[in-house]
Amino acid sequence: MNIKKLSLYSNRIDQLYEFYTDLLGFRGTLSDSKFVLITADNSEIVFNKTTESAYYHFAFNIPTNKIYEAQKWLENRVESLPERESGNKIIHFVDWNAHAIYFQDPAGNIVELIARHDLDNTSTHHFSVRDILSISEIGVPSNNVLESFEKLHDQLWLQRYSGDFEKFCAAGDEHGLIILTDLDRNWYPTEIKSEIFPFEAEIEHLQKTAKLSYDKGFLEVI
């Protein structure tokens, strides 16, 4: 599954534009109503202007062999978030065969750079923003994790990647994941509670394009 576009909401699009383009070096455009961030594979995250604050968890895939370079690159620009128990800033997900680092942006979004070692995307040059390849995840606080997964499975044929359906489930594959989480959970690796903020997404799966709409804790396939 590939996540081609996320439409999120923020009351800080000016600060987000400066952070992602000036500090981190992403391509992007800013207007009175939205900031559009563009990844290396031309996927987009659109931050639509709103009067209320909102924050999300989303992730980007990076080359499988660049997690240590990515961490140094990130620390030169923004402080990365440690894992609470160990204090490690490079976090090893053994079951996922992946390493990840996290940071927060000016809107409070919990952002992840993840190197998935089952993907064949090795890079031979020094890490830069051009190695932030694609949108890897979007977090979805859910009123009912199992029910939300069943919609994704029945209508889009997304498969369970990880999770027990009770408190957590990741649906999709290494290229893109919908992270379904119970409303009682915090966004890893922080103590920030997952809260409901609306978003829309455009995904590609099995050579088909679909749109997702999320509002008031419910995920719908359009």
Side-chain angles (χ1 to χ4, degrees):
M1 183 191 79
N2 295 304
I3 303 173
K4 303 305 296 181
K5 183 177 180 179
L6 291 177
S7 293
L8 312 179
Y9 295 85
S10 179
N11 62 347
R12 296 186 175 183
I13 62 169
D14 292 339
Q15 295 96 318
L16 289 172
Y17 175 77
E18 292 178 1
F19 178 83
Y20 282 105
T21 61
D22 295 345
L23 184 62
L24 299 187
F26 280 91
R27 293 175 291 156
T29 60
L30 179 67
S31 68
D32 290 339
S33 62
K34 62 187 177 182
F35 159 47
V36 181
L37 178 156
I38 305 169
T39 70
D41 77 340
N42 292 318
S43 299
E44 296 182 352
I45 297 183
V46 180
F47 294 96
N48 297 282
K49 187 175 184 178
T50 183
T51 58
E52 299 179 354
S53 63
Y55 62 86
Y56 305 83
H57 163 64
F58 53 87
F60 297 105
N61 279 329
I62 64 171
T64 180
N65 63 326
K66 290 297 181 178
I67 189 65
Y68 294 99
E69 282 189 38
Q71 200 270 337
K72 292 179 180 178
W73 175 88
L74 184 66
E75 285 284 350
N76 286 332
R77 292 157 177 82
V78 61
E79 185 176 359
S80 53
L81 302 173
E83 201 274 335
R84 285 177 291 167
E85 294 182 359
S86 68
N88 294 335
K89 291 191 171 183
I90 296 177
I91 300 167
H92 187 196
F93 294 108
V94 177
D95 292 345
W96 289 21
N97 193 24
H99 287 82
I101 50 179
Y102 292 80
F103 63 93
Q104 275 188 283
D105 67 20
N109 296 304
I110 296 94
V111 188
E112 176 184 1
L113 304 182
I114 184 166
R116 301 182 185 276
H117 306 307
D118 291 335
L119 292 179
D120 183 14
N121 60 4
T122 299
S123 170
T124 58
H125 55 257
H126 291 299
F127 186 88
S128 71
V129 72
R130 65 177 173 166
D131 293 302
I132 300 178
L133 303 173
S134 58
I135 303 169
S136 178
E137 300 173 5
I138 179 64
V140 184
S142 178
N143 291 310
N144 188 313
V145 170
L146 177 59
E147 182 179 284
S148 295
F149 170 78
E150 288 176 339
K151 286 182 182 179
L152 296 172
H153 180 268
D154 294 347
Q155 298 182 49
L156 300 176
W157 203 237
L158 292 186
Q159 303 300 306
R160 182 186 73 89
Y161 184 77
S162 177
D164 60 4
F165 302 117
E166 182 178 353
K167 296 287 186 179
F168 174 85
C169 177
D173 54 39
E174 289 87 355
H175 297 279
L177 291 170
I178 307 298
I179 305 294
L180 303 168
T181 182
D182 186 83
L183 288 169
D184 292 332
R185 289 171 60 96
N186 296 334
W187 286 127
Y188 185 85
T190 74
E191 295 184 0
I192 298 171
K193 185 181 172 78
S194 62
E195 292 194 27
I196 295 171
F197 301 105
F199 74 85
E200 296 80 40
E202 295 179 12
I203 68 170
E204 292 178 352
H205 183 57
L206 300 178
Q207 300 181 334
K208 295 181 179 180
T209 300
K211 292 185 178 181
L212 305 178
S213 176
Y214 174 75
D215 192 23
K216 299 179 180 177
F218 295 97
L219 187 65
E220 301 292 342
V221 179
I222 302 174

